[in-house]
Amino acid sequence: MKKKMKVSKYLSYLFLIIVCAIWVIPVIFGITTSFRSQTEVVNEGFRLLPVNWIVDNYVTILENTSTAPIMQWIWNSIFIATTHTLLVIVVISITGYGYTRMKFKGRDALFFTLLAISFFPNVVNLIPSYKIIDILGWVNTPWAMIVPGLAGMANIFLVRQFMKGIPRELDESARVDGASDFQIFFRIILPLVKPILVVCGLFSFVGSWNDFLWPVIVYTDVQKMPVTAGLLLLQDVYGNYRMIGQLMGSAILAIIPTLLLFFFAQKYFVQAIKLNAGIKG
């Protein structure tokens, strides 16, 4: 029995190593390609490490501030994703509180109706969403990406489920002491749901950062584009296998902010995976 368990354990480790290699090797190859010359990219074929390490690709990227201002695009994406994330946290925390702690007619019916509607593909809403953005005058502005999606039902559902696990005795004790709904929300509920809010914030930040189709539709000004729309433009500037090093370098620069975000916020992922187990315990 022990021998079978040991074999199963080794097979699991082997499987995880293989999956990790499948994911990591292309990433490493992309990073090293950004340090290759175009001549080496064309002539050497697949090599995990460059023959000659160069930084000319990154110098070219940073010096190009007209046709492909990568740093401006990254800054645009940081501003858009950060503002969107902060507003998402405000909206979903208040909405989640309303769906769990406040009683009103049709509360659950409204919630599950909106949840069902959210299962429709986002592409269905592209034309009406663009029409609304155009009427508001938000085309080629950050608000075109910041406002849509603030009340995402997936995030609201997670927050609602988390809040349902918080004992109502805490609310009742606070009310006995004369606390209002806002005081209960800010002083009791909000600190307890911090882990799930951080995780929803991370999902919102990455979703806003990686959004591709919507920014391509609402942005035409090169200087105002987020990085995803800009990388599409780079395929025309650096594509056709002529400047692959610059293209890969731009992609690597674009993923650095999200990597840093996950690195510093990973502990909240562990807390939120457990959801409200700690509160119930």
Side-chain angles (χ1 to χ4, degrees), residues 2-219:
K2 290 183 178 180
K3 186 177 181 179
K4 288 184 178 180
M5 292 179 62
K6 185 176 292 186
V7 172
S8 176
K9 180 179 179 181
Y10 288 147
L11 288 175
S12 300
Y13 284 146
L14 178 61
F15 174 76
L16 291 175
I17 291 172
I18 293 174
V19 171
C20 182
I22 292 173
W23 185 87
V24 169
I25 290 176
V27 175
I28 295 175
F29 181 70
I31 294 173
T32 57
T33 300
S34 67
F35 292 97
R36 306 173 195 264
S37 65
Q38 183 61 20
T39 303
E40 183 179 340
V41 171
V42 174
N43 296 332
E44 293 295 332
F46 179 80
R47 289 177 61 93
L48 192 59
L49 299 176
V51 177
N52 297 308
W53 293 76
I54 63 171
V55 295
D56 295 359
N57 295 325
Y58 288 96
V59 173
T60 303
I61 293 169
L62 297 176
E63 288 180 348
N64 188 348
T65 57
S66 55
T67 58
I70 184 68
M71 298 309 296
Q72 180 63 42
W73 293 339
I74 291 176
W75 165 248
N76 294 341
S77 287
I78 290 175
F79 174 77
I80 291 169
T82 302
T83 307
H84 176 77
T85 299
L86 293 176
L87 291 177
V88 163
I89 291 174
V90 172
V91 171
I92 65 175
S93 59
I94 295 176
T95 306
Y97 181 82
Y99 279 128
T100 55
R101 275 354 198 222
M102 303 183 72
K103 297 180 179 180
F104 54 90
K105 187 176 181 179
R107 181 190 67 178
D108 293 337
L110 176 62
F111 173 79
F112 287 108
T113 300
L114 294 175
L115 186 63
I117 292 173
S118 69
F119 285 102
F120 285 95
N122 290 331
V123 69
V124 175
N125 300 320
L126 283 180
I127 294 176
S129 296
Y130 182 82
K131 187 64 176 178
I132 294 172
I133 294 299
D134 187 36
I135 292 174
L136 294 173
W138 287 352
V139 176
N140 277 321
T141 68
W143 296 111
M145 287 192 63
I146 291 173
V147 174
L150 289 181
M153 287 305 299
N155 290 331
I156 293 174
F157 176 79
L158 290 175
V159 174
R160 175 180 177 271
Q161 294 304 110
F162 197 101
M163 286 187 180
K164 286 179 68 174
I166 299 176
R168 290 186 176 272
E169 288 78 5
L170 298 176
D171 303 37
E172 296 170 0
S173 298
R175 291 188 190 280
V176 170
D177 293 334
S180 63
D181 283 324
F182 280 102
Q183 289 175 323
I184 294 172
F185 173 70
F186 283 108
R187 296 183 181 180
I188 298 176
I189 304 299
L190 204 56
L192 292 176
V193 297
K194 180 181 176 182
I196 195 63
L197 289 180
V198 172
V199 171
C200 289
L202 287 172
F203 289 154
S204 299
F205 185 94
V206 175
S208 177
W209 186 278
N210 291 335
D211 193 5
F212 172 74
L213 181 59
W214 182 242
V216 169
I217 294 174
V218 297
Y219 283 97

